[in-house]
């Protein structure tokens, strides 16, 4: 594991990013020394962060790292120690109509249609977006009259996203918004997030899909063991922690130590650098090969007599940063740790604060709910 991960890289804003937003205004979300414990386990252990107006802020980390607990603290659905401010106020004092919330787990009434659900949640506010427009935004216009219980997992999640944005929030919390959604549905949600941010909505996004965060987020914070271990713009994190580009060769024959040494010598001669070459399950990998040097690296393979079936070259990504800073094998802290990422925690969050910050759907049944 990269020891630099333990440095508080997240304490400083990313280069080119101004705390509080481009106009230098106050941040929309502020956390200072946020702490939350479940018994002897620290779910949050002194988290510091700020989120600017109109920013898409990504929060990533392993299961049990504290992501959902932090979202709950910032939305006022759980108590936490430390300084917490949303629009300059304690989270529980913020006008609910300004907040949109999609919990990790949310179970609305199953015998309502998608349209009825969005209508209902929109009806909780003095001003709400047009239901049909919201359903179209999330790709549910063609299935709007299907009961929630008959929808696929991805369709249900898209409907839940719709209920979280129907109030046109100033600040939108999305906890794993595209879980179970097919590629077309994911693109629809991504376009919606991009459009909301362009119109000034601040988006606080947690996701295990690193490509999603890398595409959408202006800045990213990584949690591990309840602490921010790195933060900044995605490209900055990739540069600092992602490692070197790599060339992978899938070989028919097993890669021996002699082959690795021969390839390393050939790459050294041709590229003028001291490469890292290693055997993999499928063949071998050459680290540090820039795009313009791929041909020379392939020649080095030929010189070493390496017969390969296929080649692939890749640059480091946010996923590489994630794996480097968290470890590929991550053990949850303690036995029976905090219910942070568990389904029960998500259900509790859904009970305490429904999408948009409104009242719980189960407290009132809209028309058609008794079918």
């Amino acid at each position: 594991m990269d020891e630099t991960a333990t440095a508080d890289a997240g304490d400083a804003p990313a280069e080119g990013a101004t705390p509080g937003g481009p106009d230098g205004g106050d941040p929309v979300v502020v956390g200072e020394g946020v702490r939350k414990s479940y018994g002897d386990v620290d779910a949050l252990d002194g988290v510091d962060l700020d989120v600017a107006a109109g920013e898409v802020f990504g929060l990533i980390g392993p299961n049990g790292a504290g992501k959902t607990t932090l979202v709950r603290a910032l939305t006022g659905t759980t108590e936490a120690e430390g300084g917490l401010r949303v629009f300059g106020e304690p989270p529980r004092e913020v006008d609910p109509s300004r907040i949109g919330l999609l919990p990790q787990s949310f179970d609305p009434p199953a015998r309502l249609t998608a349209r009825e659900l969005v209508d209902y949640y929109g009806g909780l506010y003095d001003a709400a977006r047009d239901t049909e427009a919201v359903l179209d935004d999330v790709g549910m216009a063609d299935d709007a009259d299907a009961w929630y219980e008959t929808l696929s997992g991805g369709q249900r999640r898209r409907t839940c996203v719709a209920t979280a944005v129907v109030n046109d929030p100033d600040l939108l919390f999305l906890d794993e918004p595209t879980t179970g959604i097919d590629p077309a549905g994911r693109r629809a949600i991504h376009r919606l997030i991009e459009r909301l941010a362009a119109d000034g909505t601040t988006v606080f996004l947690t996701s295990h899909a690193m490509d999603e965060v890398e595409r959408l987020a202006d800045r990213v914070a990584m949690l591990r063991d309840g602490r921010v271990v790195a933060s900044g713009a995605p490209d900055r994190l990739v540069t600092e922690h992602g490692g070197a580009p790599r060339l992978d060769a899938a070989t028919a024959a097993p890669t021996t130590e002699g082959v690795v040494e021969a390839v390393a010598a050939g790459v050294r001669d041709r590229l003028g650098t001291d490469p890292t070459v290693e055997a993999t399950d499928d063949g071998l990998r050459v680290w540090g090969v820039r795009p313009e040097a791929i041909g020379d690296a392939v020649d080095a393979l030929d010189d070493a007599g390496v017969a390969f079936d296929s080649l692939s070259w890749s640059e480091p990504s946010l996923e590489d940063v994630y794996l480097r800073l968290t470890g590929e094998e991550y053990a949850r802290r303690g036995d029976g740790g905090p219910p942070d990422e568990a389904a029960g925690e998500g259900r509790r969050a859904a009970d305490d604060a429904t999408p948009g910050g409104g009242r719980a759907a189960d407290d009132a049944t809209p028309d058609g709910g008794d079918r």
Side-chain angles (χ1 to χ4, degrees):
M1 180 173 295
D2 189 343
E3 295 300 325
T4 60
T6 60
D8 287 332
D11 292 344
E15 294 178 9
T18 303
D23 60 359
D26 292 334
V28 169
V29 175
V30 175
E32 296 177 342
V34 182
R35 297 180 181 276
K36 175 69 177 181
S37 297
Y38 295 94
D40 296 331
V41 178
D42 294 326
L44 299 174
D45 190 13
V47 171
D48 295 319
L49 57 83
D50 63 78
V51 182
E55 182 175 32
V56 179
F57 187 88
L59 185 68
I60 59 177
N63 290 336
K67 301 186 300 298
T68 297
T69 295
L70 181 58
V71 169
R72 297 194 66 219
L74 291 171
T75 53
T77 56
T78 193
E79 292 285 354
E81 299 176 2
L84 289 161
R85 291 291 183 272
V86 177
F87 298 117
E89 299 180 293
R92 291 193 174 183
E93 296 180 14
V94 177
D95 179 358
S97 68
R98 301 190 69 185
I99 307 294
L101 169 62
L102 177 68
Q104 190 178 69
S105 178
F106 172 58
D107 298 312
R111 295 299 294 272
L112 298 184
T113 67
R115 178 179 285 106
E116 288 169 339
L117 282 169
V118 178
D119 272 340
Y120 171 65
Y121 284 104
L124 298 177
Y125 303 97
D126 293 334
R129 295 185 58 204
D130 176 70
T131 294
E132 302 307 318
V134 175
L135 289 167
D136 187 60
D137 280 343
V138 299
M140 284 297 297
D142 292 339
D143 300 289
D145 293 317
W147 286 353
Y148 185 82
E149 66 181 359
T150 67
L151 298 175
S152 68
Q155 290 172 323
R156 291 184 182 188
R157 198 60 176 164
R158 281 186 271 166
T159 300
C160 291
V161 172
T163 66
V165 301
V166 68
N167 59 315
D168 195 17
D170 297 320
L171 172 60
L172 177 62
F173 289 90
L174 296 173
D175 196 350
E176 301 290 347
T178 60
T179 298
I181 297 180
D182 61 29
R186 289 184 74 216
R187 285 196 295 271
I189 300 301
H190 291 172
R191 287 193 297 267
L192 173 60
I193 293 172
E194 291 168 339
R195 186 163 62 252
L196 289 170
D199 290 340
T201 301
T202 303
V203 181
F204 194 105
L205 169 70
T206 71
S207 177
H208 281 106
M210 295 300 105
D211 61 328
E212 178 170 89
V213 177
E214 192 165 9
R215 168 181 171 172
L216 296 173
D218 299 301
R219 285 190 300 145
V220 178
M222 181 176 293
L223 279 184
R224 188 186 69 201
D225 290 343
R227 297 183 179 184
V228 176
V229 296
S231 74
D235 56 354
R236 174 189 166 193
L237 293 180
V238 171
T239 298
E240 293 180 352
H241 303 291
R246 57 186 180 266
L247 182 70
D248 286 287
T251 60
T255 302
T256 65
E257 183 176 345
V259 169
V260 170
E261 292 176 352
V263 171
V267 173
R268 188 181 306 114
D269 291 341
R270 289 182 174 275
L271 273 64
T273 60
D274 193 13
T276 297
V277 181
E278 62 186 16
T280 66
D281 291 340
D282 298 323
L284 57 81
R285 174 173 297 159
V286 184
W287 290 93
V289 179
R290 303 303 308 170
E292 63 274 11
I294 293 175
D296 290 330
V298 171
D299 289 340
L301 295 176
D302 289 335
D303 293 344
V306 175
F308 51 86
D309 298 324
S310 64
L311 289 172
S312 62
W313 178 87
S314 59
E315 289 184 291
S317 66
L318 193 61
E319 182 171 342
D320 295 298
V321 176
Y322 177 93
L323 295 175
R324 182 178 293 267
L325 298 190
T326 65
E328 292 188 53
E329 299 295 330
Y330 184 86
R332 187 177 176 131
R333 292 162 290 149
D335 294 330
D340 176 17
E341 313 283 333
E345 179 74 3
R347 285 192 292 272
R348 182 179 171 190
D351 292 339
D352 291 345
T354 63
R359 300 182 297 276
D362 294 337
D363 291 342
T365 303
D367 293 341
D370 59 354
R371 286 180 303 196

